[in-house]
Amino acid sequence: MRSDAILPPRVGALQPGPCNAITDVAGVTVGHTTIADGPIQTGVTVIRPHGGDVYRDRVPAAATVLNGFGKSIGLMQVDELGVLEAPIALTNTFCVGAIAQAQIRQCVAANPQCGRRLPTVNPLVFECNDGYLNDIQAMLVSEEHYLAALAAAGPGFAQGAVGAGRGMSSFGVKGGIGSASRIAPIANGAEYRVGALVLSNFGRPAQLTLAGHAIGPMLAERLAAAGEPEKGSIILILATDAPLDARQLRRLSLRAGAGLARTGSVFGHGSGDIALAFSTAYTVPQDSSRPMPQIAMLHDALVDPLFQAVADSAEQAIIHALWHAETVEGRDGHSRRALLDVMADRISQFSEQAP
């Protein structure tokens, strides 16, 4: 039986931020639109790097493709230019195009010369396949849902079976949206925050390792799971207030794979595993007549605590996605049970207890 008195275990030695979420990085906000209507179990999640217009004031960013079984839009230009110029959107595989179009329309509405006197905008949309629970062929996530999630973005947000995570599955149980943060003390006396948000939709039951505890075999037995190949995907979004350039952010994004591996993932053949990192320490103007920022970047020799913070916050975010997700029933009678509904008695042995 599920017990809400069971708190998730905390991984790693670094301290979390006040909310233990990506929004502990100042200026970052998150919003969801969730569609839960019988066979339609899906949605969209939007991450805003700052409260202004990201098209006009871009943020440095870089991505790592751990396994490229994915249908994202916008990664090529991020790799080339090293900046974000749109909010980050997460949704299901068949709705990537609709959300990219929504991002373009929203940018044009705010910047009427976009694509005319001004450059075009690079939409950025990531996806996972929620087709087990959601009737993905219906393709019902629309511009209206994107705009609602964008408008709802704030420092406080729900986790679990919400937004883009509504129909997602992980390790044979319910997956979804999870988030966490860590504070990284640097040798030069500075202190920076790293936050992670994941769209968790990956892993076979027998693989699950939770805070170092190999509970996967017992989970597989309880689910009577077949030994099928790993399917699904995970998107890992990382934010930091550390002053880093795109080259350094690419190095940060790669370390998300360390946190992902700790949970039992092997970056399976059919899994689209993509990590993107961005910094809020400065913005890059789209208008070439505006001055470029003059900022001292963090020395490469000092970045190890940030690597640790990325690995810990990514692992913790995956745990939070599993922890907060509720049981969901979707199309054709398919359902995914919440991890705590299946494994509460086992998990309580190594989890923190609520007062």
Side-chain angles (χ1 to χ4, degrees), residues 2 7 14 19 114 116 133 144 165 193 209 236 239 241 318:
R2 179 169 181 161
L7 297 179
L14 297 178
C19 297
C114 176
R116 294 181 176 173
L133 289 174
E144 175 187 0
R193 293 183 178 185
T209 302
L236 306 106
D241 55 5
I318 294 166

Side-chain angles (χ1 to χ4, degrees), residues 22 45 47 62-73 75 88-93 96 124-129 164-165 168-170 176-179 195-202 232-238 253 256-257 260 265 267 271-278 313-315 317-318 321:
I22 194 172
T45 295
I47 304 163
T64 293
V65 178
L66 298 166
N67 195 67
F69 201 97
K71 288 83 179 171
S72 300
I73 285 180
L75 282 176
I88 301 163
L90 311 174
T91 191
N92 75 61
T93 307
V96 168
L124 188 60
V125 188
F126 295 96
E127 56 78 31
C128 291
N129 182 355
M168 302 299 171
S169 307
S170 282
I177 296 289
S179 192
L197 183 144
V198 301
L199 180 60
S200 184
N201 189 56
F202 72 101
S233 301
I234 184 169
I235 306 300
L236 306 106
I237 306 299
L238 307 161
S253 68
L260 175 58
S265 172
F267 315 160
S271 189
D273 304 331
I274 302 170
L276 179 138
F278 66 89
S313 59
E315 181 185 8
I318 294 166

Side-chain angles (χ1 to χ4, degrees), residues 4-333:
D4 292 331
I6 304 175
L7 297 179
R10 199 182 84 193
V11 299
L14 297 178
Q15 292 296 312
C19 297
N20 204 2
I22 194 172
T23 50
D24 284 328
V25 178
V28 177
T29 54
V30 176
H32 304 296
T33 299
T34 304
I35 310 173
D37 185 11
I40 308 301
Q41 302 290 331
T42 191
V44 61
T45 295
V46 176
I47 304 163
R48 299 187 67 184
H50 59 68
D53 187 336
V54 187
Y55 174 73
R56 292 182 176 273
D57 293 291
R58 304 174 294 176
V59 296
T64 293
V65 178
L66 298 166
N67 195 67
F69 201 97
K71 288 83 179 171
S72 300
I73 285 180
L75 282 176
M76 184 185 298
Q77 185 169 311
V78 171
D79 183 60
E80 180 68 24
L81 300 185
V83 292
L84 302 183
E85 55 184 49
I88 301 163
L90 311 174
T91 191
N92 75 61
T93 307
F94 281 1
C95 291
V96 168
I99 298 305
Q101 186 175 66
Q103 287 190 321
I104 294 169
R105 290 185 185 278
Q106 189 276 328
C107 183
V108 169
N111 302 275
Q113 291 302 311
C114 176
R116 294 181 176 173
R117 183 179 59 82
L118 298 175
T120 58
V121 65
N122 182 49
L124 188 60
V125 188
F126 295 96
E127 56 78 31
C128 291
N129 182 355
D130 60 9
Y132 181 77
L133 289 174
N134 173 52
D135 181 4
I136 197 170
Q137 292 182 357
M139 293 186 278
L140 289 182
V141 184
S142 68
E143 180 177 354
E144 175 187 0
H145 298 118
Y146 171 77
L147 294 176
L150 184 68
F157 61 98
Q159 299 181 48
V162 293
R166 178 65 188 177
M168 302 299 171
S169 307
S170 282
F171 302 102
V173 293
K174 190 67 190 72
I177 296 289
S179 192
S181 70
R182 292 294 183 267
I183 299 172
I186 307 299
N188 65 0
E191 187 176 85
Y192 297 110
R193 293 183 178 185
V194 171
L197 183 144
V198 301
L199 180 60
S200 184
N201 189 56
F202 72 101
R204 290 181 292 166
Q207 294 174 323
L208 178 57
T209 302
L210 197 62
H213 299 265
I215 67 169
M218 181 180 292
L219 176 62
E221 182 179 344
R222 291 187 181 185
L223 294 175
E228 60 190 41
E230 181 180 22
K231 298 185 222 178
S233 301
I234 184 169
I235 306 300
L236 306 106
I237 306 299
L238 307 161
T240 184
D241 55 5
L244 304 174
D245 61 18
R247 177 188 60 82
Q248 294 171 311
L249 288 165
R250 181 171 291 106
R251 300 185 72 203
L252 237 66
S253 68
L254 178 61
R255 272 62 185 187
L260 175 58
R262 290 178 193 165
T263 68
S265 172
V266 296
F267 315 160
H269 163 70
S271 189
D273 304 331
I274 302 170
L276 179 138
F278 66 89
S279 172
T280 63
Y282 60 98
T283 60
V284 178
Q286 186 276 328
D287 186 347
S288 61
S289 67
R290 294 168 56 196
M292 289 287 285
Q294 301 295 317
I295 187 167
M297 301 299 172
L298 189 66
H299 196 285
D300 281 349
L302 301 176
V303 299
D304 274 350
L306 295 176
F307 291 167
Q308 181 70 52
V310 167
D312 289 354
S313 59
E315 181 185 8
Q316 188 76 70
I318 294 166
I319 292 172
H320 286 170
L322 292 167
W323 222 264
H324 291 290
E326 64 192 57
T327 295
V328 170
E329 295 184 2
R331 71 166 181 90
D332 298 331

